[in-house]
Amino acid sequence: LSAKICRMSLLSGQSPLSFLLVPFFIFNLSQCQSADPAQGQSVGSLVQTVSDLEDEFGKGVKDRARFEEAFAVRSVDVIKQKAKLFADHYPSSNERRIDLFRSHVERIGGAYVGVGTDQNFTFIAWARSPVAYLMDFDSVIVYVNRLHFLFLKESPDYAAFKKMWDRESRKETAELIRQRLGNAPDYAKYVEAYDVALRGYSGVPDRLKELEWMSSHFGFRSFHNDDGDYQYIRQMAVDGRIQAVLGDMNGETTFREISASAKRLNVPIRLVYLSNAEEYFRYPQPFRVTIQELFTDEKGMIIRTVTAGAKEFGYPEGEKFVETHPFHYNLQNIKKMAVWMKDAPHPLWVYDMLKKRTDVQKGFSVLHQDPYE
């Protein structure tokens, strides 16, 4: 009974005591911290932090061959047709209020999976994820992320990293890319990604400036103004604990291979950042199966944004496209998401699911309920 109470409380976010209807029932609340449903293991046996990872593979991941064998994503989806979005490529985020997630994900540990680019670094550093997988169906974005990793390794501090993305440093940065990657068989992909990342008014340099705007208006702290966060993600790049791979979240290969990699490392996936990708599909069966079988535990959470219904659900101050596409920000326990994926009828749209959200503050909510509640 106590194990069931722990499970119910962790999934719902409520205190275990709220389930105790028998006044003389006595049970140790520490059981809620030790019980772990992932593969029947105890929480203590899971790799949740960098220290845990280094206990297994050595400081700085010295047992490189064994780590790389476990960490590798061994096969990826073949992208036959890219989804039709408003722009051809999204080399940077336009979500301005990701600060709303911080208190909910800080130091949660575990593995991280995310789409997109720079916003992932913020979440990874906050969570102190020991390993991270960045997945995108756009190969250009995969290579933008790989350029981020290169620049992180080359830059001892954020100022140096930012300078590498400065348009005024284009000649010097392009030469660095040539020196480091000129002999790589996919060198042309890096050149293309660098060009895309500097285009227009929504490139990487523009986003890095916008991070400062977010800080001045909403107290946003991340890798751009917190050296601890910057050094954390830089060390991940140096250690090779973060990778960018091609993948379709509705496919049957990449996302599942990521889960298999996390399982080999014994690192439960604690954060899955989907941005607003769910607006573009209706949860086909491959995605449902992936979520149900994901190597995670009770702490795992989905981080999402939505523009569909945002004006109805509410959006926070400071959104970039207030008139047309403001974002609503939402969190959901992965185990709860798995119930939706198992039992909710086809087709299902994220807009309909979020009708059961619990609002935390303007523009930010948590989805505690499953389809039966």
Side-chain angles (χ1 to χ4, degrees):
L1 177 60
S2 62
K4 185 175 182 181
I5 291 168
C6 286
R7 179 173 172 79
M8 292 170 66
S9 63
L10 287 165
L11 287 176
S12 67
Q14 300 181 49
S15 164
L17 294 177
S18 66
F19 292 98
L20 301 184
L21 304 181
V22 183
F24 54 83
F25 185 89
I26 299 173
F27 113 101
N28 184 357
L29 293 184
S30 67
Q31 294 177 46
C32 283
Q33 298 172 351
S34 62
D36 173 50
Q39 308 301 315
Q41 302 174 76
S42 66
V43 167
S45 70
L46 294 173
V47 176
Q48 303 178 75
T49 67
V50 176
S51 294
D52 295 336
L53 195 73
E54 293 185 334
D55 286 344
E56 180 68 23
F57 296 101
K59 188 170 179 61
V61 197
K62 287 187 177 180
D63 192 345
R64 173 63 51 186
R66 192 163 66 91
F67 171 76
E68 289 181 352
E69 181 181 2
F71 187 44
V73 175
R74 296 173 180 176
S75 55
V76 298
D77 297 303
V78 176
I79 309 298
K80 296 179 180 178
Q81 184 175 358
K82 213 173 69 171
K84 294 181 180 180
L85 307 178
F86 289 104
D88 290 336
H89 309 287
Y90 288 89
S92 64
S93 174
N94 56 12
E95 298 162 345
R96 286 181 167 180
R97 295 306 311 275
I98 56 176
D99 61 286
L100 298 172
F101 291 114
R102 180 163 190 161
S103 64
H104 301 269
V105 306
E106 208 161 18
R107 296 194 178 273
I108 195 173
Y112 177 92
V113 183
V115 302
T117 55
D118 59 272
Q119 64 273 56
N120 292 291
F121 299 141
T122 292
F123 295 134
I124 292 165
W126 287 349
R128 292 299 193 257
S129 307
V131 293
Y133 309 81
L134 307 189
M135 174 180 71
D136 208 283
F137 64 85
D138 183 352
S139 64
V140 171
I141 300 310
V142 173
Y143 279 88
V144 169
N145 280 326
R146 292 176 182 176
L147 285 174
H148 276 310
F149 304 159
L150 172 64
F151 296 171
L152 284 166
K153 287 187 281 189
E154 295 285 336
S155 305
D157 54 32
Y158 174 74
F161 174 80
K162 183 182 178 183
K163 185 177 180 181
M164 285 193 177
W165 280 116
D166 194 320
R167 290 185 177 94
E168 294 181 359
S169 302
R170 184 165 189 158
K171 183 177 180 180
E172 294 85 350
T173 302
E175 177 59 19
L176 173 74
I177 296 170
R178 188 193 66 78
Q179 290 177 6
R180 298 291 186 269
L181 302 167
N183 293 326
D186 53 354
Y187 172 62
K189 290 282 190 180
Y190 286 99
V191 173
E192 178 189 13
Y194 183 58
D195 179 64
V196 169
L198 298 187
R199 286 181 193 169
Y201 300 98
S202 57
V204 173
D206 307 288
R207 174 64 173 183
L208 297 182
K209 290 178 182 177
E210 194 166 60
L211 296 182
E212 298 171 5
W213 183 92
M214 291 155 63
S215 295
S216 64
H217 285 76
F218 303 107
F220 177 61
R221 291 195 63 77
S222 185
F223 64 94
H224 68 294
N225 61 359
D226 184 322
D227 189 58
D229 282 2
Y230 178 81
Q231 296 301 333
Y232 188 85
I233 60 169
R234 179 174 188 263
Q235 195 62 49
M236 290 193 75
V238 169
D239 290 345
R241 293 185 286 110
I242 183 171
Q243 60 178 307
V245 293
L246 187 69
D248 178 358
M249 67 179 64
N250 290 320
E252 298 184 7
T253 305
T254 305
F255 205 169
R256 295 178 191 180
E257 283 293 319
I258 288 171
S259 183
S261 169
K263 186 174 182 179
R264 287 193 297 271
L265 292 169
N266 202 25
V267 186
I269 294 171
R270 290 272 172 82
L271 291 180
V272 176
Y273 165 71
L274 300 177
S275 188
N276 67 323
E278 294 163 285
E279 295 178 345
Y280 295 92
F281 56 85
R282 300 296 184 267
Y283 302 113
Q285 192 63 19
F287 179 88
R288 292 179 179 231
V289 171
T290 299
I291 295 297
Q292 291 175 66
E293 297 180 352
L294 203 66
F295 185 69
T296 186
D297 62 9
E298 302 291 358
K299 294 182 180 180
M301 290 191 291
I302 301 285
I303 304 174
R304 64 165 58 92
T305 60
V306 292
T307 60
K311 291 187 177 182
E312 174 187 341
F313 301 151
Y315 56 87
E317 299 296 327
E319 283 298 281
K320 190 169 185 175
F321 304 109
V322 175
E323 297 300 324
T324 55
H325 296 94
F327 287 107
H328 179 85
Y329 298 76
N330 177 261
L331 271 176
Q332 183 183 27
N333 182 279
I334 295 175
K335 294 289 186 180
K336 283 284 188 175
M337 178 69 162
V339 177
W340 281 91
M341 295 300 96
K342 179 177 180 293
D343 295 335
H346 292 268
L348 173 69
W349 193 24
V350 65
Y351 167 83
D352 297 311
M353 194 164 61
L354 286 186
K355 289 179 180 178
K356 292 200 173 192
R357 76 197 183 281
T358 298
D359 289 321
V360 177
Q361 64 185 82
K362 184 181 179 184
F364 177 69
S365 65
V366 178
L367 182 54
H368 290 302
Q369 291 183 310
D370 62 34
Y372 304 107
E373 297 174 302

